[in-house]
Amino acid sequence: MKRLISRGLMFGNLIRVDSPALVERYNRALERLSGRRTGLTEFHIDISGYSYEIGEEFGDHFYLNPGGVNRQFIILDTRQKSAPLLNAQFSTSRGILRQFIEENEAKLFALTAHDAVAGELDNSVFEVSTPARLFDIRKITVVADTTQAHVANARKLAEKIERFQREDDAWFDDVLIAEMIELARQTGDVTRNPVDLGRPTYEQGNFWTAHFGGIYVFRDAAHPAAISVRRRADLGEMPVETCDLTMRNAIATFLERNDLVEPVIKARGVDGAAILRQKMDFILVDAATSEGMEIDGFDQRSLHRLAQRMAGRLPEEFRKLGELVRWALNGGKWPRIASDHPAYFYTLRARADHPDRDLVNQLLSELAPLDIRQLFITHKTAFYAAYRDWPEAKKDYVAEFLARDYAANKAGAREALFGGAPPSPWRTGPRPPKDDIIDLVGPWGAVRR
């Protein structure tokens, strides 16, 4: 993994925590959530506040995710919104956390100036003992507060202010006034600088989960289904039609019936032939390195010579994609590819305008695992697991390719492959108004312009 780490392809974009003040705030939040404290004086955290180093220290990488169902989080800095989510158990978790931080950025900026914000993605389900229990998870409510309960106290103060304004004899209620003064010392002026984060709710309709070896749940599709990485027989009774990754015809039918995919070669705004040629390179390198062949280089001329040397041993995926590329460049008869052919899912991508585009592309990456670029972008858990078993020559090629052709322009590469950003599938209910970070800084007063 050193190749990936040194190139920023693993544990990249994490937030460094190395000051005594931030470590202490983290420990206060950690103690509140789990009853534990870290002895480390320096570590890195992801978007949820999880730290791989602390997981190693505890011997428990689920210390912020007990049971793998209701993810807890610690926010020290709003910059965490751009960090990845490590050891994710649900594909929706990072999107929900990022949107929560973005929608409350001004308030969180104020609150984290003096304290950590700790909370939980609450879905009201505390365990998933069987795959069918996954369908009980419908909505995720974000519950959050500082370790000193600034949000809860602000709510209390707001209620008392409302009572004070409503009741005629409140001016003579010394107890009420004293309580208001004491709370105001902790929260500041909540009438001018509200700090209530609310309890926003996000829909978890279609999602992937790492539970039970990996399951894709499409319950909000016109024709619902679940797709399992493990054998269908291992799942037991399910509330929707269910298949596993070996049932390629059934999966192809599901994707087509729900209009979830489109052929790469016919997608608008992309160079389909170039994308397929790149997939052919990935397939070629895998085949050659698996045979232990010497590879002179990874430029196009070297790979072309490598394909000539392999001749009759070229994989079926490579040959069929080659036919499709030749059709795109030269025309002629359309090369039919059946859904049970090993090249079939390499020819597809998710519809660019679909809210579940990323989820569908993640599923396709498991059905076409030799496309190392798509696997890395859409399903890092599967990518890292596969990487460990690759020959050293393939590891060299993949690390160098991703660093050069993807990491240098991530947003551009994603758009070229998958299209622009799809509509967000997370939020339910009205969005909160945007706050100006200059005017709104929470309980410590407004900053002067």
Side-chain angles (χ1 to χ4, degrees), residues 48-94:
S48 73
Y50 160 79
S51 167
Y52 180 84
E53 296 103 319
I54 294 176
E56 289 288 290
E57 177 194 14
F58 290 165
D60 175 14
H61 286 282
F62 288 89
Y63 71 93
L64 281 183
N65 198 10
V69 180
N70 293 283
R71 183 110 190 188
Q72 297 172 325
F73 60 87
I74 298 172
I75 300 175
L76 293 178
D77 191 318
T78 55
R79 291 180 302 155
Q80 287 174 233
K81 69 180 182 180
S82 299
L85 178 65
L86 305 181
N87 68 3
Q89 296 297 292
F90 290 92
S91 59
T92 51
S93 297
R94 184 179 184 273

Side-chain angles (χ1 to χ4, degrees), residues 313-356:
R313 304 194 307 280
L314 289 168
E316 277 300 308
E317 299 97 318
F318 184 94
R319 295 176 183 277
K320 208 64 177 179
L321 292 182
E323 291 179 19
L324 201 54
V325 169
R326 286 191 292 275
W327 172 86
L329 297 178
N330 305 318
K333 185 179 179 181
W334 170 258
R336 184 179 179 278
I337 304 178
S339 58
D340 58 354
H341 192 282
Y344 178 77
F345 289 107
Y346 288 94
T347 70
L348 301 177
R349 76 170 193 175
R351 265 185 41 213
D353 59 347
H354 197 280
D356 292 305

Side-chain angles (χ1 to χ4, degrees), residues 150-285:
H150 283 101
V151 174
N153 288 333
R155 288 181 190 145
K156 291 179 184 177
L157 177 56
E159 291 171 359
K160 292 183 184 298
I161 290 172
E162 183 182 356
R163 175 185 163 192
F164 181 83
Q165 294 174 333
R166 185 179 66 249
E167 297 179 1
D168 294 335
D169 58 350
W171 279 102
F172 306 102
D173 190 336
D174 293 337
V175 174
L176 175 61
I177 294 173
E179 289 174 345
M180 290 168 58
I181 292 172
E182 182 59 32
L183 286 171
R185 286 179 181 149
Q186 303 172 40
T187 67
D189 185 355
V190 297
T191 61
R192 296 182 60 189
N193 301 295
V195 295
D196 195 342
L197 297 173
R199 293 196 172 193
T201 297
Y202 302 84
E203 190 77 22
Q204 181 156 300
N206 302 328
F207 60 91
W208 166 87
T209 177
H211 291 280
F212 308 104
I215 299 177
Y216 293 83
V217 175
F218 292 92
R219 62 178 167 202
D220 287 349
H223 304 278
I227 300 170
S228 169
V229 175
R230 289 183 180 173
R231 293 187 313 139
R232 169 65 183 93
D234 296 338
L235 300 185
E237 187 176 349
M238 295 285 279
V240 298
E241 182 180 345
T242 304
C243 56
D244 61 50
L245 294 184
T246 66
M247 303 164 69
R248 295 169 65 88
N249 291 337
I251 295 173
T253 300
F254 162 76
L255 294 173
E256 185 176 350
R257 289 179 70 194
N258 288 285
D259 194 22
L260 294 174
V261 294
E262 60 185 0
V264 171
I265 205 72
K266 294 183 177 180
R268 297 178 60 185
V270 302
D271 187 346
I275 293 174
L276 293 184
R277 276 199 302 263
Q278 188 65 73
K279 292 174 187 273
M280 291 171 65
D281 288 347
F282 300 150
I283 295 167
L284 174 64
V285 169

